[in-house]
Amino acid sequence: MNITLPDKSIRDLPKGSTGLDLAESIGPGLAKAAIAVVVNGIQKDLSDPINEDSNVSIITISSDEGLEIMRHTLTAQVLARAVQNLFPGTKLAIGPTINNGFYYDFESKKTISNDDLEKIEIEMRKIISTDSDIKKRLHSKQDALKIFSEKDETYKEIIINEADQDDNFQLYYQDNDEFVDLCRGPHLPNLKHIGAFKLTKVAGAYWKGDAKNKMLTRVYGTAWKNEKDLKKHLIAIEEAEKRDHRKIGKEMSLFHFQEEAPGMVFWHPRGWAIYKNLESFVRNRLEKFDYQEIKTPQVVDRKLWEASGHWDKYRENMFITEIDEEHANDKRTNALKPMNCPCHVQVYNHGLKSYRDLPVRLAEFGSCHRYEASGTLHGLMRVRGFTQDDGHIFCTESQIENETKLFIELLSGMYKDLGFDNFDIKLSTRPEVRVGSDEVWDKAEKALENAIQKLELPFEIVEGEGAFYGPKLDFVLTDAIGREWQCGTFQADFNLPDRLEAEYVGEDGSKHRPVMIHRAVLGSFERFIGILIENYSGKLPLWLAPEQVAIATIISEVDDYASEIEEELKSINIKVIKDLRNEKIGYKVREHSAAKVPIILALGAREKESRTVSVRRIGSNNTETKSLNDFIAEIKVEAKSPSS
RNA sequence: GCUCAUAUAGCUCAGCGGUAGAGCACUUGCUUGGUAAGUAAGAGGUCACCGGUUCAAGUCCGGUUAUGAGCUCCA
């Protein structure tokens, strides 16, 4: 039979040759490095026979595919075996690979904790050092079930029973046959191909990812082809931890949380300064795009939530308020608003609207409260009290396309000015369960798609992931270290205008339902500020920084000069810290650098004499001396918000 | 919400049955020093909360709350 290699060369091998035979026919080096093959696009074990003319490529650990196979073998054959060696009676569930590593889910009588990881690693290295071959046998369903039921591997039995095949269940063994695991494969032919690895954490995980099921113990690890790559990865994780907004927020005293209000931010002066800078940036942009800003109530009677449908669906996530009976006649049940849209419809409904008024664009910095499950709270990223840069557009179906286009223009400009040049767009289409006719969905999906295409932007379609009330666009930005954050959203809604009876008078003189579009660019201010802090490692651009210039004196004779500069900077709205303390300049520089003040001016006798300033910028160890007038002119321009 | 872990000074952490510790920060004295820590002294704590074991509990046990890592969830 003829085997076609990726370089199009053809080799003639006897029928039934294995991947290993093929590799050997090419060269001994490759035979040694080979770990698996891809036959006609499907990954196979090196020992699998090839029975017909095929396109075959050989996988080594240097490729992404090879690395994944190695991680897979490491978890399924080594980690699983090590845990069973150490903790007999542990049952195996599943052990897949993930980005940069792998995990395995176990059910064990012994609670496995982080302290056990080192012990498990040692056991794993012991197993690897045996250089065992990994062998595969195929079993019928019945045989496979028998093998695992004897071992009391409940989860493997479930997997086999739920599989649609009747035979060819792949079981992998190591040398002595003591350890067996069911696996789709392929695996390394021998444990000596395993590279560098480290177990990273243990955590609970539900069987099959369903909260109704039993909680299993999941052990996570990371694995690479060599020590160098492993180290690189561990350093990258450390770097990411250094920019954790909770850590930086504490260091810079931006905000805090406390027990009495879990998930609600106590903003400190400096953190709130950032918030205000961001808010006024957004406000200016919204005005430019013809939004009208409104403000609606925090506490609203349940009747409105019943009408909007939220009471039925999301009540368990709402903060409900009841008035103490002793103190009020009015015992109505209210809820803190979990979202702004029902209130926005109330504003829209006030006064008769004509088709000439559309589109109506209402915006609100809407404070919302949602009772999020306690385990999901996470710094500023996931909170219970937050403020959306929310907005709702009431328009006709035929206006959706243009509104989409305008929104993307608004959003891309804002992201760019905030320092995010790249973002992806995801278009989510109709889900199985939905409201509205197919005809309307066709039009709405088409409108969103057309708008993106006219702007010549790439996008991805996510089938069936739209909300039940309409299709949506999600905007995902990429931060400085390559992490993705979904922030912006644009959702057409055919449901709420109906439920809350929004109307406009059409050209024909009769009443029609407008389409409502829910949209946000940042998502929530809290979360977005968290993202900004992590993106910039706290070193925010001058216009967003809570304190912009620190004036640090070297000798007390220049205090008056420092005060003069302070006054001048304040007069052009620059936020200044004047540091006249009896400390050395090195001490002052260190302190203000740690506080991430963008600009430090050091003033000594020379500067006062020549009316200059010595400028030191955050992130740089160089200083630059320039005339006070030049500095003022420069900073005046630089500190301007990009929205002004 | 679930699993596991953690909770000691403003911050970072040590202490693990026998009178609460360190570094930094803070206050005061000396020091006017040229770009990431001058120097000395002082002050600062119901050891998260509630209960239990013990002659004796930050220390051991149980519960509560919060936080962390995952899981589930996110209108």
Side-chain angles (χ1 to χ4, degrees):
Chain A
M1 66 181 176
N2 287 328
I3 302 295
T4 309
L5 295 166
D7 67 354
K8 303 284 180 236
S9 65
I10 294 174
R11 291 197 167 247
D12 185 22
L13 288 170
K15 216 172 153 195
S17 296
T18 66
L20 183 62
D21 296 333
L22 172 66
E24 274 167 350
S25 81
I26 298 172
L30 185 60
K32 222 170 139 186
I35 57 173
V37 284
V38 179
V39 180
N40 296 329
I42 297 164
Q43 288 188 1
K44 296 276 188 189
D45 277 302
L46 212 52
S47 59
D48 285 341
I50 303 166
N51 293 319
E52 54 187 30
D53 290 358
S54 306
N55 292 307
V56 179
S57 61
I58 293 171
I59 304 175
T60 70
I61 198 174
S62 300
S63 68
D64 288 347
E65 278 177 304
L67 193 55
E68 199 183 325
I69 290 169
M70 186 273 277
R71 287 169 178 156
H72 186 204
T73 300
L74 185 58
T75 184
Q77 290 287 315
V78 183
L79 172 57
R81 188 174 166 192
V83 170
Q84 286 198 322
N85 285 354
L86 292 170
F87 312 118
T90 298
K91 295 182 185 183
L92 306 178
I94 53 162
T97 59
I98 49 174
N99 267 352
N100 303 329
F102 56 88
Y103 65 77
Y104 211 112
D105 285 348
F106 302 100
E107 186 196 322
S108 183
K109 280 178 225 87
K110 151 102 173 68
T111 53
I112 299 169
S113 76
N114 283 301
D115 301 334
D116 295 312
L117 292 182
E118 207 185 320
K119 211 161 65 180
I120 299 172
E121 263 185 35
I122 291 168
E123 184 65 20
M124 286 170 76
R125 291 185 206 287
K126 222 160 88 192
I127 292 168
I128 293 166
S129 70
T130 61
D131 285 351
S132 297
D133 285 333
I134 296 171
K135 292 168 295 189
K136 177 168 77 172
R137 288 177 208 149
L138 297 177
H139 294 265
S140 67
K141 191 168 199 165
Q142 207 181 0
D143 273 4
L145 280 173
K146 188 160 165 270
I147 290 166
F148 286 112
S149 94
E150 275 165 14
K151 288 183 172 289
D152 201 23
E153 290 284 9
T154 331
Y155 297 99
K156 297 295 172 189
E157 290 179 64
I158 295 173
I159 294 167
I160 294 167
N161 273 322
E162 287 178 357
D164 23 5
Q165 73 212 64
D166 281 327
D167 45 23
N168 291 331
F169 283 90
Q170 301 193 119
L171 269 64
Y172 287 86
Y173 298 80
Q174 289 171 34
D175 276 348
N176 57 12
D177 287 4
E178 255 172 51
F179 178 79
V180 191
D181 192 20
L182 171 76
C183 193
R184 63 167 167 82
H187 273 307
L188 300 176
N190 185 291
L191 293 182
K192 67 183 169 212
H193 290 283
I194 288 186
F197 72 96
K198 186 173 162 49
L199 297 183
T200 47
K201 57 199 163 200
V202 3
Y206 298 108
W207 166 237
K208 288 187 172 175
D210 190 332
K212 288 197 278 287
N213 289 339
K214 190 160 191 160
M215 174 81 54
L216 306 173
T217 304
R218 176 172 297 179
V219 176
Y220 283 91
T222 181
W224 300 84
K225 69 170 189 264
N226 54 36
E227 286 292 338
K228 198 175 135 218
D229 285 8
L230 172 65
K231 204 162 172 195
K232 215 168 94 189
H233 177 248
L234 294 176
I235 287 172
I237 290 175
E238 263 177 52
E239 288 303 315
E241 278 168 7
K242 276 188 204 156
R243 8 178 119 217
D244 189 314
H245 73 282
R246 292 167 299 183
K247 185 168 133 70
I248 292 175
K250 209 181 263 180
E251 285 164 2
M252 294 175 70
S253 184
L254 302 178
F255 57 85
H256 82 268
F257 291 91
Q258 64 186 53
E259 263 185 65
E260 289 79 356
M264 319 266 183
V265 189
F266 287 77
W267 286 104
H268 296 190
R270 304 173 103 234
W272 191 244
I274 299 171
Y275 188 110
K276 285 189 293 184
N277 291 340
L278 185 61
E279 188 184 66
S280 75
F281 166 76
V282 177
R283 179 171 282 131
N284 285 335
R285 280 301 153 91
L286 289 174
E287 278 169 13
K288 288 207 170 99
F289 278 76
D290 295 322
Y291 283 79
Q292 296 171 289
E293 187 177 329
I294 58 173
K295 194 77 186 170
T296 60
Q298 295 294 308
V299 179
V300 177
D301 193 289
R302 69 181 273 181
K303 278 189 292 220
L304 183 63
W305 306 115
E306 282 166 354
S308 70
H310 292 103
W311 191 263
D312 271 352
K313 273 203 158 159
Y314 304 107
R315 187 182 165 185
E316 69 275 22
N317 288 316
M318 289 164 75
F319 282 95
I320 312 285
T321 70
E322 287 188 46
I323 309 299
D324 187 340
E325 287 189 41
E326 283 182 42
H327 295 94
N329 300 324
D330 181 1
K331 292 185 287 180
R332 296 194 302 180
T333 304
N334 297 294
L336 262 64
K337 70 175 169 187
M339 54 194 343
N340 306 300
C341 35
C343 291
H344 284 203
V345 179
Q346 306 314 305
V347 174
Y348 172 88
N349 283 353
H350 226 79
L352 200 58
K353 297 289 184 295
S354 146
Y355 72 96
R356 295 172 195 275
D357 298 320
L358 302 184
V360 169
R361 305 187 190 94
L362 300 177
E364 177 175 4
F365 297 117
S367 278
C368 296
H369 294 267
R370 296 178 188 175
Y371 187 79
E372 302 286 1
S374 58
T376 62
L377 301 178
H378 182 91
L380 295 177
M381 300 302 188
R382 186 84 181 261
V383 286
R384 286 182 177 157
F386 57 94
T387 304
Q388 295 174 313
D389 62 323
D390 205 3
H392 294 92
I393 301 167
F394 297 86
C395 64
T396 64
E397 277 168 33
S398 61
Q399 289 171 327
I400 295 177
E401 184 178 322
N402 193 46
E403 288 307 309
T404 310
K405 186 169 149 281
L406 284 171
F407 176 74
I408 296 175
E409 280 166 9
L410 167 68
L411 171 135
S412 60
M414 286 174 64
Y415 283 0
K416 198 166 176 15
D417 287 336
L418 288 162
F420 303 102
D421 292 330
N422 298 313
F423 64 89
D424 297 327
I425 306 177
K426 289 183 185 164
L427 168 60
S428 297
T429 58
R430 69 194 78 184
E432 301 249 325
V433 183
R434 57 181 183 265
V435 299
S437 69
D438 283 354
E439 191 195 342
V440 174
W441 275 90
D442 284 343
K443 267 196 242 170
E445 285 171 2
K446 200 73 207 144
L448 298 186
E449 196 172 331
N450 284 347
I452 313 171
Q453 273 167 347
K454 280 194 183 149
L455 292 166
E456 293 180 357
L457 292 167
F459 68 101
E460 184 191 331
I461 293 182
V462 198
E463 299 283 354
E465 283 299 303
F468 74 91
Y469 49 72
K472 64 170 181 172
L473 297 177
D474 286 315
F475 299 85
V476 182
L477 57 81
T478 306
D479 76 6
I481 56 171
R483 293 175 303 181
E484 296 194 329
W485 303 94
Q486 194 201 106
C487 295
T489 189
F490 186 88
Q491 313 185 357
D493 188 341
F494 314 123
N495 175 52
L496 202 59
D498 214 38
R499 292 193 74 123
L500 299 179
E501 298 176 326
E503 303 172 328
Y504 66 91
V505 179
E507 259 174 292
D508 58 3
S510 63
K511 289 184 175 173
H512 301 269
R513 288 269 179 258
V515 175
M516 183 180 184
I517 296 166
H518 309 256
R519 42 108 292 155
V521 176
L522 308 184
S524 103
F525 277 86
E526 286 75 7
R527 177 163 173 271
F528 202 86
I529 290 171
I531 294 169
L532 282 173
I533 292 168
E534 299 205 355
N535 182 62
Y536 288 110
S537 283
K539 296 169 193 159
L540 295 167
L542 195 63
W543 70 274
L544 272 171
E547 280 153 349
Q548 295 166 305
V549 177
I551 305 172
T553 53
I554 297 166
I555 48 168
S556 51
E557 274 78 59
V558 300
D559 285 0
D560 54 343
Y561 184 49
S563 299
E564 186 195 330
I565 296 174
E566 181 193 21
E567 287 314 310
E568 206 159 330
L569 288 173
K570 277 185 175 167
S571 75
I572 54 167
N573 292 320
I574 300 294
K575 278 159 268 174
V576 191
I577 322 165
K578 185 172 66 175
D579 188 352
L580 305 182
R581 288 177 306 170
N582 176 11
E583 294 292 352
K584 292 199 173 177
I585 189 64
Y587 183 89
K588 295 184 183 182
V589 165
R590 179 185 152 82
E591 203 162 87
H592 296 119
S593 298
K596 303 189 168 57
V597 181
I599 294 173
I600 301 173
L601 300 181
L603 304 180
R606 290 205 295 268
E607 283 77 13
K608 183 180 176 182
E609 176 70 23
S610 57
R611 295 194 60 77
T612 55
V613 287
S614 164
V615 183
R616 184 190 167 109
R617 284 176 180 267
I618 188 89
S620 159
N621 289 325
N622 301 323
T623 61
E624 195 186 350
T625 302
K626 55 182 68 176
S627 80
L628 176 60
N629 287 339
D630 285 354
F631 174 73
I632 302 267
E634 213 173 86
I635 197 170
K636 209 169 168 175
V637 176
E638 196 185 332
K640 250 190 183 168
S641 164
S643 69
S644 54

